[in-house]
Amino acid sequence: MKILIVPVSWNSTFKDSASERFRCDWLLPHLPADKYDGSQEPNDYDVIIYQKGFRPDMLEERHGLLTVFDSTDPFWLVSNQDELKFLYEHVDLITVPTPGLAGSCEKTCPLPVYVVPDGHDLKYYEVTKIHKKRRPVFVWFGYSLNWDQSTDLIDAISDYKLITISDSPVGWRKDQWIKWDINTVNENIVKGDIVLCPRDPNGFKSDNKKITSWALGMPIVEVPEDIPKFLEWEAREHDQTLHTWDIIQHRAQASADKMRGILARSLELSVVGRQLNGT
């Protein structure tokens, strides 16, 4: 089974996307798959996966391949009906990272919807936090537009130092801001002691921030009520021993295995369907 992934960055100004790492780059060697760069011929593949963005110019030519649309966003809630109609006519199935997204999508989508969790390359997390006895420093990292989702947590730590790591300064504590960079973000995260990781009430967001934090040895707080249990450094150190299985379950190999199984079954059904239809 030959697989081609069209990344979110292809023919786009959207670079350094977390979803491209978790759902494309880190899965490539495990599927295995090729990353589309404009030079490949789609007809040489069995499966083509379009990541996140609509590609009308490419989708119009389906090439007879199993065509997958992989999204980390609830596109069905923000796209107009013409866009959705076009997409559903040109792909065979949808993949998303969370059960919450899948459940919402299935309410209106006429196609099969599957959950493939974000996959982490554990070799990337070479830094491990060494917790020490001190007043905790909190860390928030992520895309600046998501800052407002952390308001309750931010208000609850007004007396503590906060480091923010993002593409642009956020909130009212810009003096603590560090620009996000793929090569330094892990080192900057472990400068703190506790990561702010607000709970998504819809269950749409993947666990990638949570898994990243745990892989670096950092405890996370999702709601203000979580904060007191990590104020003592011994509790933060103990938390490092609790999440090994969560991290293993989200490694890139596990996500690739799940994706490959879905694609293999779908290809099989596609072949049987063509045989039944005499095509």
Side-chain angles (χ1 to χ4, degrees), residues 46-47 62-67 91-93 112 114 262-279:
D46 304 300
V47 179
R62 294 194 63 188
H63 306 282
L65 311 178
L66 180 70
T67 306
V91 304
D92 299 298
L93 60 96
Y114 299 97
I262 291 167
L263 298 179
R265 290 193 300 272
S266 299
L267 269 176
E268 206 172 288
L269 291 172
S270 177
V271 170
V272 171
R274 286 198 296 269
Q275 290 173 343
L276 291 175
N277 293 326
T279 59

Side-chain angles (χ1 to χ4, degrees), residues 207-219:
D207 287 338
N208 62 62
K209 285 182 67 174
K210 185 183 297 185
I211 299 302
T212 294
S213 302
W214 286 340
L216 295 172
M218 296 283 286

Side-chain angles (χ1 to χ4, degrees), residues 232-262:
E232 299 299 328
W233 77 276
E234 294 94 339
R236 302 194 291 272
E237 185 178 60
H238 176 66
D239 188 73
Q240 291 182 320
T241 68
L242 303 180
H243 306 294
T244 302
W245 181 240
D246 298 292
I247 296 167
I248 290 173
Q249 285 185 306
H250 286 81
R251 70 194 191 283
Q253 178 70 66
S255 295
D257 288 347
K258 184 159 189 181
M259 176 68 86
R260 189 169 57 249
I262 291 167

Side-chain angles (χ1 to χ4, degrees), residues 128-180:
T128 300
K129 173 68 180 181
I130 299 176
H131 288 284
K132 298 179 180 179
K133 185 177 181 178
R134 70 169 182 175
R135 182 176 172 82
V137 174
F138 289 82
V139 181
W140 182 93
F141 68 94
Y143 189 40
S144 58
L145 290 180
N146 293 328
W147 166 261
D148 289 343
Q149 298 170 10
S150 302
T151 302
D152 290 346
L153 287 169
I154 300 301
D155 290 343
I157 60 159
S158 59
D159 293 334
Y160 291 86
K161 181 179 178 180
L162 172 67
I163 297 171
T164 59
I165 307 166
S166 61
D167 54 299
S168 61
V170 292
W172 41 267
R173 303 175 76 165
K174 297 180 177 61
D175 58 313
Q176 303 294 324
W177 173 69
I178 301 173
K179 186 171 179 59
W180 189 95

